Amino acid sequence: MQFIKVALVGIGQIFLQENGLSGLIICIAMFFSHWALGIGCLLGSIIGTLTAIKLNYPKEEIKQGLYGFNASLAFMCTMFTFGLNGVSFLIFLLGVISSVVSTLIMREFTKRNWVAYTFPFVLTCWIFCWGISQIGLFGLWQTTPALADHTTTLESIKQPFYAWAEVNFGVSLVTGLLLFIAIALSSPIAALWGMTASIISSFIADCLFDIEPNQLANGIYSFSAILVACAFAGRRLRDFVYITIGIILAIFIQFGVAKIGLPPYTIGFIVAAWLVRWTKSKIDHRKVSLKKFSHLFNP
């Protein structure tokens, strides 16, 4: 029972939430988009957690779910890329391998105290999903369905929830709604900022680039913004500034990566969050330094 709880915490960490209940709701939500995504969501986290246990990774890190979320995303990405029209043993095996490899990469980050976010998943899937689909290795070709038309007025109103679903490759309104609820139960402020980010990011993307309206309506340029919001959610004005800067950076990065032909996945969120964290650390350090300097003249 404890192991399953840890695996569910790992799923919750996709949205940077150390919460098993959130992980359970996220897993259930994925079945409303496709059963293969639901299975992949749970199995990926289980495989990542098992890998970490067998390789004697730090117990506290395992308990925090740090080895579940990248593995979960990697398995879901494999299902999304190859398995939506039918899951074969080969596709299933590839999902297992992707989950294990992303866990190994995650450990290289934690050993060095580097913040990985979802980079291990992105790097793994650039190799095992995009790379394989480009050359048709083992007879595997991308089976990702075309985007549904959400450009009508009624559908466009639902855009924020489609954006939430897109974080996990989902396409269902119910999936997005449940993911929002999952995060709200863990961190209401993160959910609130995430919803705000999902709305304003599409407007920013539309202003910055000539993006096809249906991509915006499907939340393609909003899901990384949600993760940025979850990473920097807070109650101060500066948190709003950090989130806004992160959203703009994420959109630029995602657009640029897509233009060179790579699937962006969550790379926009990752690089934007790294840059914002670095900027934030410099500002915080400057504040401390100024405080110490002030004390020299005000003992």
Side-chain angles (χ1 to χ4, degrees):
M1 190 67 182
Q2 181 64 25
F3 173 79
I4 294 299
K5 180 181 177 182
V6 171
L8 292 175
V9 170
I11 295 172
Q13 286 282 16
I14 295 173
F15 289 86
L16 302 122
Q17 305 300 311
E18 190 179 331
N19 189 304
L21 177 60
S22 294
L24 176 61
I25 296 173
I26 291 169
C27 185
I28 292 171
M30 299 321 301
F31 283 94
F32 286 92
S33 283
H34 198 286
W35 67 267
L37 292 176
I39 294 295
C41 181
L42 180 60
L43 280 182
S45 186
I46 288 174
I47 292 166
T49 304
L50 275 175
T51 301
I53 292 172
K54 293 298 181 182
L55 295 179
N56 295 314
Y57 290 174
K59 291 183 179 179
E60 188 59 32
E61 292 179 357
I62 295 173
K63 185 179 178 182
Q64 292 171 351
L66 297 185
Y67 299 104
F69 69 99
N70 276 291
S72 179
L73 284 167
F75 210 124
M76 282 191 285
C77 185
T78 305
M79 295 297 101
F80 179 76
T81 305
F82 302 115
L84 296 189
N85 292 337
V87 179
S88 65
F89 173 76
L90 181 59
I91 294 171
F92 182 85
L93 179 61
L94 189 61
V96 173
I97 294 171
S98 298
S99 297
V100 172
V101 171
S102 67
T103 305
L104 298 177
I105 297 172
M106 182 64 178
R107 179 55 184 151
E108 293 305 309
F109 275 80
T110 59
K111 280 196 301 188
R112 296 164 175 80
N113 291 318
W114 294 346
V115 179
Y117 293 122
T118 53
F119 183 72
F121 137 68
V122 170
L123 181 58
T124 299
C125 290
W126 274 344
I127 298 169
F128 290 100
C129 292
W130 179 80
I132 286 177
S133 68
Q134 289 299 295
I135 61 177
L137 189 64
F138 309 122
L140 292 175
W141 301 94
Q142 187 165 334
T143 60
T144 306
L147 294 175
D149 183 8
H150 294 323
T151 54
T152 65
T153 302
L154 181 59
E155 288 297 310
S156 294
I157 293 172
K158 303 172 185 176
Q159 180 272 336
F161 295 111
Y162 290 127
W164 281 87
E166 279 288 348
V167 175
N168 283 3
F169 305 99
V171 295
S172 165
L173 175 66
V174 177
T175 296
L177 179 60
L178 287 176
L179 293 182
F180 171 74
I181 292 172
I183 307 313
L185 289 173
S186 175
S187 173
I189 190 68
L192 178 62
W193 276 117
M195 182 59 72
T196 303
S198 70
I199 295 170
I200 67 173
S201 55
S202 61
F203 288 106
I204 294 174
D206 191 32
C207 292
L208 291 174
F209 303 108
D210 183 22
I211 297 171
E212 200 270 316
N214 199 39
Q215 284 196 330
L216 297 176
N218 273 272
I220 301 300
Y221 276 85
S222 296
F223 65 87
S224 278
I226 291 172
L227 292 174
V228 168
C230 289
F232 298 102
R235 302 178 185 278
R236 302 170 302 177
L237 177 61
R238 74 177 65 173
D239 298 317
F240 170 74
V241 175
Y242 289 140
I243 290 171
T244 303
I245 292 171
I247 289 172
I248 295 171
L249 287 171
I251 291 169
F252 268 101
I253 294 160
Q254 179 172 340
F255 184 81
V257 172
K259 278 296 183 183
I260 65 175
L262 273 174
Y265 299 136
T266 55
I267 194 64
F269 151 64
I270 297 161
V271 178
W274 283 341
L275 292 172
V276 171
R277 275 181 63 90
W278 179 82
T279 303
K280 187 174 181 291
S281 69
K282 294 298 181 183
I283 293 173
D284 290 346
H285 177 72
R286 180 176 172 81
K287 273 188 64 183
V288 172
S289 299
L290 287 173
K291 188 175 181 181
K292 288 181 178 178
F293 183 76
S294 176
H295 282 322
L296 290 175
F297 297 94
N298 298 280

